[in-house]
Amino acid sequence: MNMAAAGEKGGSRPGWRSLGLCLVLLAALCRGSSVERKIYVKLNSTAPCVRLLNATHQIGCQSSRNGDTGVIHVVEKEDDLSWVLESGPDPPYMVLLEGHLFTRDTMLKFKESTRISGIAVMYAKPPPPEGFSPDLPCPNDGFGLYTDQRGAQYSHCNKTLWNPLGSGMSYEDFQFPVFLLQDENETEVIKQCYRDHNVPGNGSAPQYPLCAMQLVSAMHAVTSTVTCMRRNSIQMSFSINPEAVCDSLAGYNVWSTVRPVNSSGFLAPEEQVVVSAARLDGRSFFWNLAPAAESTVSSLVTQLAAAEAIHKAPDSQDLPRNIMFTFFQGEVFDYIGSSRMVYDMEKGRFPVRLQNIHTFVELSQVALREDSSLWIHTDPISRSNDSVNVEVEQLIDVLKNSSKDTNVTLQEVDQSQALPPASFQRFLRARNIPGIVLTDHNATYRNKYYNSMYDTSASINMNYPSGLSKEEALNYVTEAAQSLTDVATLLARTLYQQAGGKDPAQIKVDEKSVTRMLYGFLVMSNNSWFQSIIRSDWKGHLEDKPPQYYVTATSLGSKPTPNPPTSFLISVLANLTGQVVNYTKEECQSPDKATDPQRELYEYIWVQGPLDNNTTTRSPYCVRSTLRSHLAESPAFELNEWDSTEYSTWTESRWKEIRGRIFLVPSHQLEVSVPCSHLL
């Protein structure tokens, strides 16, 4: 590691005393990137904490405008905190924090101190065994069914605290940068620099030059969504080159039906639809880091497998009721996707209306079953209506009947218990709909890592033998795959019977599909199956690492770009439930040029196709399916109600750059960067 000092001479400590040398180095830095590489070691594998805003608050982290710099000090145990908080002679400090100490209590100590300039968090391996959830103990509080105005006895998780491990750390506001170090080699480089230069010796302070770190994550938006959207409006109205300071969190819901539905029309009032729902997004403390294995992917994959099984049933197109599969985006941020779909249904802008919904079945965290148990949750308020209660009881009977010959033990939650956080709550706010939510927990979450960086494939028992090739791992049946195949079978047979099907025994879920989906959605998207079924213009989304399920930020007035998980979901759903049609690429991408009289009932996707034998050439083809995408942006932004308490108001601050680097500093004064214009 080739590092030199950066800065201006100052201080009385022994070390580098040549002001001329420092000026030469800084001047060289200003002139050329090749010299900069010798002075600084850039951190290339980090995940920052960024600023988010809602109607009343700002949360997250930010650096000062030009970044924050400090001497590095490694904190590996509680006793190390006193050095950076009290006794260390060289503040401000950049704390290299051991992962198991990354807690709300520790972070609040840093927040209250004036001696901290930033935090670099080490990823804990293994994850904290006691659990770690920076989310709230009562997720989505105030935006579901139970509020102070409706179902007040259940509001604020009064009777059931769903996420007791939730520290709420993700909802704190930190006025210094916080980065996660994602590469062990980079972490070791920082530690070695610390050991070489910063470790106190024989009870005395370390001598300059010292190893320092700079983290840059200055945020443009401040205070709240109300403030940043007002500033956006002013910029758009009066600036020649407007620059927004924040963007709404938005993306796409994905939905499909067993029988095709004309998306430009409406179902007749007498047409009934059975809705199956799962969420599509997750989050953690750090930006775009949301593995979401248990919280999201377990349900998403299960629902996809059920959709495939039902579509393969010979009588699926003749069922008395249609089945609609929905995947809601932005749900962790106060139900963005589900509230938008309900809003559009009420406004007559969605082909299915609320009165068309016969029953509602939602999956929410289903991978960590204890003793094979799956719990049935219902809403005590809507069940006080006799007709709704009868329908709910009939649905529960169908569920129990469907669990036969599966390794699933169904249990009912006490009827007096409220629903857990779920998209279904947003539908119940608008209309009493018979429905249930299926989970692996009776009361508190079994997921110890809810909405955290540790909610990974390993947390749901996706373990692979060593030595497997990528192709072998893609097709290796894990315990998680076996378990979720059982849950998918239960779901598929339930939906089939709710739709009027008479032969549920014929509904069989393909374990191979579950296995490959779990690998692609949780381990590595860049695999042979995803490569063959994805749209060619989305192939850049494929990576040799797990996808991340953070919802994207979108400029107001612009259409969101599907994030990688959404593109994978669309590709998989089309593959599992669609049909290959003999269209040219031009016809597939512009169906109005095709001769299919039913083209308005379908979506068409031109996919890459499999590799030809022993070549790098692919055989692309066109897939026709009933899947559709639906804008998932909070109605608050359409209504310009930026202070709404009815709808989500989450926005993400814009920033100019995110970066981190380490270097040697010859004195305390030189921790502050000197502009190049002062030197040249």
Side-chain angles (χ1 to χ4, degrees), residues 530-595:
F530 275 25
Q531 290 168 6
S532 68
I533 64 175
I534 200 165
R535 272 174 36 176
S536 57
D537 56 330
W538 287 343
K539 64 183 179 181
H541 290 170
L542 299 172
E543 294 185 285
D544 290 337
K545 59 184 181 181
Q548 303 300 321
Y549 292 84
Y550 177 73
V551 61
T552 53
T554 303
S555 302
L556 286 177
S558 302
K559 287 187 176 181
T561 299
N563 64 3
T566 304
S567 68
F568 303 150
L569 169 63
I570 290 172
S571 301
V572 171
L573 184 57
N575 178 266
L576 297 182
T577 64
Q579 295 176 313
V580 176
V581 291
N582 188 25
Y583 278 16
T584 65
K585 182 178 181 179
E586 182 182 22
E587 290 173 331
C588 192
Q589 295 178 338
S590 302
D592 56 312
K593 298 180 180 179
T595 57

Side-chain angles (χ1 to χ4, degrees), residues 203-221:
S204 62
Q207 302 297 297
Y208 283 101
L210 297 176
C211 191
M213 179 184 294
Q214 182 188 45
L215 298 177
V216 180
S217 60
M219 299 288 125
H220 296 340

Side-chain angles (χ1 to χ4, degrees), residues 454-474:
Y454 301 119
D455 187 8
T456 63
S457 59
S459 73
I460 62 169
N461 300 315
M462 279 183 61
N463 301 312
Y464 295 88
S466 60
L468 293 183
S469 66
K470 290 182 181 180
E471 199 65 24
E472 290 169 336
L474 172 65

Side-chain angles (χ1 to χ4, degrees), residues 365-393:
Q365 302 191 88
V366 293
L368 296 176
R369 292 184 292 137
E370 184 178 30
D371 299 326
S372 74
S373 292
L374 204 61
W375 293 88
I376 303 172
H377 299 258
T378 60
D379 167 46
I381 297 177
S382 59
R383 290 190 72 175
S384 64
N385 178 296
D386 289 340
S387 61
V388 170
N389 187 54
V390 169
E391 292 286 345
V392 170
E393 289 181 344

Side-chain angles (χ1 to χ4, degrees), residues 46-249:
T46 61
C49 164
V50 303
R51 174 167 290 164
L52 302 175
L53 310 99
N54 66 8
T56 56
H57 291 80
Q58 64 180 31
I59 64 172
C61 316
Q62 74 155 6
S63 74
S64 57
R65 183 173 182 179
N66 295 316
D68 291 305
T69 301
V71 171
I72 296 170
H73 192 80
V74 176
V75 174
E76 296 179 312
K77 55 187 183 300
E78 290 278 352
D79 292 345
D80 296 333
L81 291 172
S82 61
W83 182 270
V84 295
L85 295 174
E86 301 169 8
S87 60
D90 301 301
Y93 285 100
M94 276 286 175
V95 177
L96 183 60
L97 186 65
E98 193 68 48
H100 71 274
L101 291 177
F102 182 51
T103 65
R104 185 174 188 270
D105 288 345
T106 302
M107 291 297 291
L108 290 183
K109 290 177 182 177
F110 293 149
K111 182 177 179 177
E112 293 164 1
S113 174
T114 60
R115 295 167 54 87
I116 305 299
S117 58
I119 312 293
V121 180
M122 293 181 270
Y123 191 94
K125 290 186 177 182
E130 68 277 9
F132 174 82
S133 175
D135 209 293
L136 297 169
C138 187
N140 289 15
D141 186 23
F143 288 86
L145 178 61
Y146 313 113
T147 67
D148 293 337
Q149 291 73 41
R150 293 180 293 261
Q153 67 271 37
Y154 304 111
S155 64
H156 313 304
C157 298
N158 277 338
K159 297 189 176 182
T160 307
L161 194 63
W162 298 105
N163 187 34
L165 290 173
S167 67
M169 186 166 66
S170 288
Y171 292 82
E172 291 287 340
D173 181 37
F174 297 100
Q175 295 294 314
F176 49 74
V178 183
F179 282 41
L180 177 70
L181 302 176
Q182 296 181 285
D183 183 274
E184 292 182 0
N185 292 329
E186 284 192 349
T187 302
E188 183 55 34
V189 167
I190 300 170
K191 282 186 172 182
Q192 189 59 51
C193 187
Y194 166 79
R195 289 191 290 262
D196 289 344
H197 299 278
N198 295 14
V199 175
N202 300 320
S204 62
Q207 302 297 297
Y208 283 101
L210 297 176
C211 191
M213 179 184 294
Q214 182 188 45
L215 298 177
V216 180
S217 60
M219 299 288 125
H220 296 340
V222 297
T223 309
S224 67
T225 289
V226 175
T227 300
C228 79
M229 291 302 295
R230 188 178 296 130
R231 291 180 178 177
N232 283 356
S233 297
I234 294 172
Q235 281 280 323
M236 298 303 172
S237 300
F238 299 106
S239 177
I240 297 176
N241 298 305
E243 292 186 6
V245 295
C246 68
D247 299 303
S248 65
L249 296 183

Side-chain angles (χ1 to χ4, degrees), residues 271-309:
E271 292 186 78
Q272 293 185 315
V273 174
V274 179
V275 174
S276 180
R279 82 182 198 190
L280 180 51
D281 66 305
R283 70 165 302 196
S284 75
F285 184 86
F286 298 100
W287 179 75
N288 202 28
L289 182 64
E294 160 73 332
S295 62
T296 299
V297 178
S298 65
S299 302
L300 180 151
V301 165
T302 300
Q303 184 163 274
L304 284 168
E308 178 189 30

